[in-house]
Amino acid sequence: MYTSESVPPAHLRLLGQFRLEYSAEPVPMCLNAQRILAFVGLHKCVSRTVLAGSLWPDVTEEHARGSLRSTLCKLPRGHALVSCCKDSISIADSVSVDAHALAETALRIVHASKAWGGGPVPMVLLNGGDLLPGWDEDWVLFERERLRQLRLHALDALAENLSREGLHALALETALTSVRIDPLRESAHRAVVSAHLAEGNLNEAVRHYRAFQQLLREELGVEPSRRFARMIPPTAVGTMYAVDGPMEWQRNDGGVTGSP
Protein backbone atom coordinates (compact mmCIF):
# COMPACT_ATOMS: atom_id res chain seq x y z
CA MET A 1 0.00 0.00 0.00
CA TYR A 2 1.13 3.51 -0.73
CA THR A 3 0.04 6.67 1.06
CA SER A 4 -0.33 10.02 -0.60
CA GLU A 5 -1.68 13.33 0.63
CA SER A 6 -3.30 13.86 -2.78
CA VAL A 7 -5.47 10.74 -2.49
CA PRO A 8 -9.09 11.62 -1.56
CA PRO A 9 -10.76 10.13 1.54
CA ALA A 10 -12.18 6.65 1.13
CA HIS A 11 -15.69 5.65 2.10
CA LEU A 12 -16.69 2.01 2.44
CA ARG A 13 -20.40 1.35 1.91
CA LEU A 14 -21.67 -1.99 3.21
CA LEU A 15 -25.37 -1.13 3.67
CA GLY A 16 -27.51 -1.93 0.66
CA GLN A 17 -24.50 -2.94 -1.42
CA PHE A 18 -20.72 -3.17 -1.38
CA ARG A 19 -19.13 -0.03 -2.72
CA LEU A 20 -15.73 1.53 -2.10
CA GLU A 21 -15.63 5.21 -3.02
CA TYR A 22 -12.97 7.86 -3.44
CA SER A 23 -14.70 11.27 -3.47
CA ALA A 24 -18.03 9.55 -4.28
CA GLU A 25 -16.48 7.75 -7.26
CA PRO A 26 -16.69 3.93 -7.16
CA VAL A 27 -13.50 1.89 -7.14
CA PRO A 28 -13.65 -1.51 -8.89
CA MET A 29 -12.48 -4.50 -6.85
CA CYS A 30 -12.45 -8.27 -7.32
CA LEU A 31 -14.82 -10.29 -5.11
CA ASN A 32 -12.17 -11.64 -2.74
CA ALA A 33 -10.74 -8.14 -2.25
CA GLN A 34 -14.27 -6.95 -1.44
CA ARG A 35 -14.65 -9.76 1.11
CA ILE A 36 -11.39 -8.86 2.85
CA LEU A 37 -12.19 -5.17 2.99
CA ALA A 38 -15.76 -5.82 4.19
CA PHE A 39 -14.63 -8.19 6.96
CA VAL A 40 -11.86 -5.90 8.18
CA GLY A 41 -14.11 -2.85 7.83
CA LEU A 42 -16.78 -4.43 10.01
CA HIS A 43 -14.41 -5.69 12.70
CA LYS A 44 -11.94 -2.77 12.54
CA CYS A 45 -9.05 -5.05 13.56
CA VAL A 46 -8.79 -8.80 13.12
CA SER A 47 -6.07 -11.43 13.36
CA ARG A 48 -4.75 -12.87 10.13
CA THR A 49 -5.69 -16.37 11.27
CA VAL A 50 -9.33 -15.44 11.97
CA LEU A 51 -9.61 -13.47 8.73
CA ALA A 52 -8.16 -16.24 6.57
CA GLY A 53 -10.18 -18.94 8.32
CA SER A 54 -13.42 -16.98 8.00
CA LEU A 55 -13.03 -16.18 4.32
CA TRP A 56 -11.59 -19.54 3.22
CA PRO A 57 -13.09 -22.03 5.72
CA ASP A 58 -12.96 -25.09 3.47
CA VAL A 59 -9.19 -25.22 2.84
CA THR A 60 -6.15 -25.84 4.99
CA GLU A 61 -4.82 -23.02 7.16
CA GLU A 62 -1.71 -22.75 5.00
CA HIS A 63 -3.79 -22.46 1.84
CA ALA A 64 -6.12 -19.91 3.45
CA ARG A 65 -3.24 -17.71 4.60
CA GLY A 66 -1.73 -17.91 1.12
CA SER A 67 -5.04 -16.80 -0.42
CA LEU A 68 -5.14 -13.94 2.06
CA ARG A 69 -1.65 -12.76 1.14
CA SER A 70 -2.33 -12.87 -2.58
CA THR A 71 -5.67 -11.07 -2.24
CA LEU A 72 -4.19 -8.31 -0.09
CA CYS A 73 -1.95 -7.49 -3.05
CA LYS A 74 -5.08 -6.96 -5.17
CA LEU A 75 -6.47 -4.16 -3.00
CA PRO A 76 -6.51 -0.80 -4.83
CA ARG A 77 -3.16 0.92 -4.84
CA GLY A 78 -2.61 4.55 -4.00
CA HIS A 79 -4.62 4.59 -0.76
CA ALA A 80 -3.87 3.03 2.61
CA LEU A 81 -7.10 1.06 3.04
CA VAL A 82 -5.75 -1.36 5.63
CA SER A 83 -2.82 -1.52 8.00
CA CYS A 84 -1.03 -4.87 7.98
CA CYS A 85 0.96 -6.01 10.98
CA LYS A 86 2.60 -9.37 11.56
CA ASP A 87 -0.41 -10.97 13.21
CA SER A 88 -3.32 -8.62 12.48
CA ILE A 89 -4.95 -6.43 9.86
CA SER A 90 -6.81 -3.21 10.64
CA ILE A 91 -8.96 -0.83 8.62
CA ALA A 92 -7.17 2.47 8.05
CA ASP A 93 -8.31 5.43 10.15
CA SER A 94 -8.92 7.42 6.96
CA VAL A 95 -11.58 4.96 5.74
CA SER A 96 -15.12 5.70 6.90
CA VAL A 97 -17.54 2.77 7.10
CA ASP A 98 -21.31 3.34 6.89
CA ALA A 99 -22.09 0.29 9.04
CA HIS A 100 -20.18 1.89 11.92
CA ALA A 101 -22.06 5.15 11.46
CA LEU A 102 -25.35 3.24 11.70
CA ALA A 103 -24.28 1.32 14.81
CA GLU A 104 -22.94 4.40 16.59
CA THR A 105 -26.05 6.45 15.79
CA ALA A 106 -28.38 3.66 16.90
CA LEU A 107 -26.52 3.08 20.15
CA ARG A 108 -26.51 6.79 20.94
CA ILE A 109 -30.31 6.97 20.52
CA VAL A 110 -30.96 3.78 22.49
CA HIS A 111 -28.71 4.88 25.35
CA ALA A 112 -30.17 8.38 25.42
CA SER A 113 -33.75 7.04 25.74
CA LYS A 114 -35.99 9.77 27.17
CA ALA A 115 -33.04 12.12 27.56
CA TRP A 116 -32.55 12.35 23.80
CA GLY A 117 -31.82 15.95 22.97
CA GLY A 118 -33.54 16.21 19.61
CA GLY A 119 -31.99 17.47 16.40
CA PRO A 120 -32.32 16.25 12.81
CA VAL A 121 -33.55 12.69 12.30
CA PRO A 122 -30.48 10.57 11.43
CA MET A 123 -30.98 9.60 7.79
CA VAL A 124 -28.75 6.54 8.19
CA LEU A 125 -31.53 5.01 10.30
CA LEU A 126 -34.23 5.77 7.75
CA ASN A 127 -32.38 5.04 4.53
CA GLY A 128 -29.75 2.46 5.42
CA GLY A 129 -30.28 -0.92 3.75
CA ASP A 130 -29.43 -4.39 4.96
CA LEU A 131 -25.79 -5.28 5.41
CA LEU A 132 -24.31 -6.72 2.20
CA PRO A 133 -27.55 -8.11 0.73
CA GLY A 134 -26.98 -11.27 -1.30
CA TRP A 135 -23.91 -12.29 0.70
CA ASP A 136 -24.75 -15.47 2.60
CA GLU A 137 -21.57 -16.28 4.51
CA ASP A 138 -21.96 -16.95 8.23
CA TRP A 139 -19.96 -13.91 9.33
CA VAL A 140 -22.18 -11.66 7.19
CA LEU A 141 -25.43 -13.21 8.44
CA PHE A 142 -24.45 -12.64 12.07
CA GLU A 143 -23.45 -9.01 11.58
CA ARG A 144 -26.50 -8.35 9.39
CA GLU A 145 -28.88 -9.51 12.12
CA ARG A 146 -26.97 -7.61 14.82
CA LEU A 147 -27.24 -4.35 12.90
CA ARG A 148 -30.86 -5.04 11.98
CA GLN A 149 -31.90 -5.50 15.60
CA LEU A 150 -29.93 -2.47 16.73
CA ARG A 151 -31.51 -0.33 14.02
CA LEU A 152 -35.03 -1.51 14.91
CA HIS A 153 -34.60 -0.71 18.61
CA ALA A 154 -33.23 2.72 17.72
CA LEU A 155 -36.14 3.44 15.38
CA ASP A 156 -38.64 2.46 18.07
CA ALA A 157 -36.94 4.70 20.64
CA LEU A 158 -36.63 7.58 18.19
CA ALA A 159 -40.31 7.35 17.20
CA GLU A 160 -41.34 7.58 20.85
CA ASN A 161 -39.08 10.58 21.43
CA LEU A 162 -40.35 12.41 18.35
CA SER A 163 -43.97 11.76 19.29
CA ARG A 164 -43.29 13.02 22.82
CA GLU A 165 -41.87 16.24 21.37
CA GLY A 166 -44.92 16.77 19.18
CA LEU A 167 -43.11 15.97 15.92
CA HIS A 168 -45.84 13.59 14.84
CA ALA A 169 -45.07 13.42 11.10
CA LEU A 170 -41.44 12.52 11.79
CA ALA A 171 -42.51 10.05 14.48
CA LEU A 172 -44.85 8.38 12.02
CA GLU A 173 -42.21 8.17 9.29
CA THR A 174 -39.72 6.69 11.73
CA ALA A 175 -42.19 4.12 13.04
CA LEU A 176 -43.29 3.14 9.52
CA THR A 177 -39.65 2.61 8.56
CA SER A 178 -39.43 0.09 11.39
CA VAL A 179 -42.64 -1.56 10.19
CA ARG A 180 -41.23 -1.91 6.67
CA ILE A 181 -38.13 -3.63 8.02
CA ASP A 182 -40.10 -6.08 10.19
CA PRO A 183 -43.87 -6.10 9.51
CA LEU A 184 -44.59 -8.42 12.47
CA ARG A 185 -42.79 -6.30 15.07
CA GLU A 186 -45.49 -5.09 17.46
CA SER A 187 -43.46 -2.33 19.07
CA ALA A 188 -43.16 -0.60 15.68
CA HIS A 189 -46.92 -0.80 15.12
CA ARG A 190 -47.54 0.57 18.62
CA ALA A 191 -45.37 3.55 17.73
CA VAL A 192 -47.44 4.14 14.57
CA VAL A 193 -50.70 4.03 16.54
CA SER A 194 -49.22 6.24 19.26
CA ALA A 195 -48.31 8.90 16.70
CA HIS A 196 -51.81 8.82 15.20
CA LEU A 197 -53.44 9.11 18.63
CA ALA A 198 -51.13 11.96 19.64
CA GLU A 199 -52.40 13.91 16.61
CA GLY A 200 -56.00 13.02 17.40
CA ASN A 201 -56.35 10.80 14.34
CA LEU A 202 -58.38 8.04 15.97
CA ASN A 203 -59.63 6.67 12.66
CA GLU A 204 -56.07 6.20 11.39
CA ALA A 205 -55.04 4.59 14.67
CA VAL A 206 -57.92 2.11 14.55
CA ARG A 207 -57.34 1.32 10.89
CA HIS A 208 -53.68 0.54 11.54
CA TYR A 209 -54.47 -1.53 14.61
CA ARG A 210 -57.01 -3.60 12.69
CA ALA A 211 -54.58 -4.19 9.82
CA PHE A 212 -51.90 -5.40 12.23
CA GLN A 213 -54.42 -7.56 14.09
CA GLN A 214 -55.41 -9.24 10.80
CA LEU A 215 -51.75 -9.72 9.84
CA LEU A 216 -50.96 -11.44 13.15
CA ARG A 217 -53.97 -13.71 12.81
CA GLU A 218 -53.00 -14.75 9.29
CA GLU A 219 -49.26 -15.14 9.86
CA LEU A 220 -49.00 -16.37 13.46
CA GLY A 221 -52.53 -17.21 14.59
CA VAL A 222 -52.28 -14.86 17.59
CA GLU A 223 -53.74 -11.54 18.74
CA PRO A 224 -51.93 -8.28 19.55
CA SER A 225 -50.80 -7.95 23.15
CA ARG A 226 -53.05 -6.56 25.87
CA ARG A 227 -50.72 -3.57 26.06
CA PHE A 228 -51.41 -2.76 22.41
CA ALA A 229 -55.15 -3.45 22.63
CA ARG A 230 -55.50 -1.05 25.57
CA MET A 231 -54.24 1.84 23.43
CA ILE A 232 -57.46 1.80 21.36
CA PRO A 233 -60.96 2.60 22.71
CA PRO A 234 -62.92 -0.69 22.68
CA THR A 235 -65.92 1.11 21.19
CA ALA A 236 -63.77 2.01 18.20
CA VAL A 237 -62.63 -1.50 17.33
CA GLY A 238 -65.50 -3.57 18.64
CA THR A 239 -65.62 -5.34 21.98
CA MET A 240 -62.17 -6.58 23.02
CA TYR A 241 -62.45 -8.90 25.99
CA ALA A 242 -59.53 -10.42 27.79
CA VAL A 243 -59.73 -13.87 29.34
CA ASP A 244 -60.43 -12.36 32.74
CA GLY A 245 -62.86 -9.68 31.65
CA PRO A 246 -63.17 -6.51 29.55
CA MET A 247 -60.02 -4.51 28.88
CA GLU A 248 -59.56 -0.94 29.98
CA TRP A 249 -58.56 1.66 27.43
CA GLN A 250 -55.16 3.19 28.09
CA ARG A 251 -54.83 6.74 26.86
CA ASN A 252 -51.77 7.84 24.92
CA ASP A 253 -50.52 9.70 28.00
CA GLY A 254 -50.58 6.53 30.09
CA GLY A 255 -53.83 7.18 31.94
CA VAL A 256 -56.78 4.79 31.97
CA THR A 257 -60.26 6.02 31.07
CA GLY A 258 -62.14 2.96 32.32
CA SER A 259 -63.60 -0.21 30.89
CA PRO A 260 -66.41 -0.57 28.36
Side-chain angles (χ1 to χ4, degrees), residues 120-199:
V121 175
M123 296 309 294
V124 68
L125 287 181
L126 298 181
N127 299 334
D130 282 338
L131 177 72
L132 297 171
W135 293 33
D136 59 0
E137 296 170 85
D138 288 343
W139 61 272
V140 176
L141 298 178
F142 176 84
E143 291 296 328
R144 182 184 297 153
E145 182 61 16
R146 182 184 70 85
L147 287 174
R148 175 178 172 274
Q149 289 296 330
L150 186 56
R151 182 185 178 195
L152 287 169
H153 281 90
L155 286 168
D156 290 348
L158 182 59
E160 291 180 7
N161 288 324
L162 291 169
S163 186
R164 190 182 304 116
E165 294 181 5
L167 302 174
H168 305 305
L170 289 177
L172 190 58
E173 177 63 24
T174 303
L176 288 172
T177 298
S178 185
V179 168
R180 284 192 292 270
I181 296 172
D182 188 347
L184 294 175
R185 185 179 177 86
E186 183 180 300
S187 57
H189 290 275
R190 288 201 306 266
V192 172
V193 168
S194 179
H196 284 314
L197 291 175
E199 280 194 295

Side-chain angles (χ1 to χ4, degrees), residues 69-83:
R69 287 193 298 271
S70 64
T71 306
L72 283 171
C73 295
K74 297 178 182 178
L75 291 177
R77 298 283 179 170
H79 198 294
L81 297 173
V82 297
S83 175

Side-chain angles (χ1 to χ4, degrees), residues 5 10 20 24 32 36 58 68 81 98 100 110 119 129-130 184 191 197 199 202 207 220 223 228 234-236 242:
E5 294 182 357
L20 175 66
N32 277 340
I36 284 180
D58 300 324
L68 175 60
L81 297 173
D98 61 354
H100 294 319
V110 170
D130 282 338
L184 294 175
L197 291 175
E199 280 194 295
L202 178 59
R207 182 191 61 79
L220 302 177
E223 293 291 320
F228 196 1
T235 54

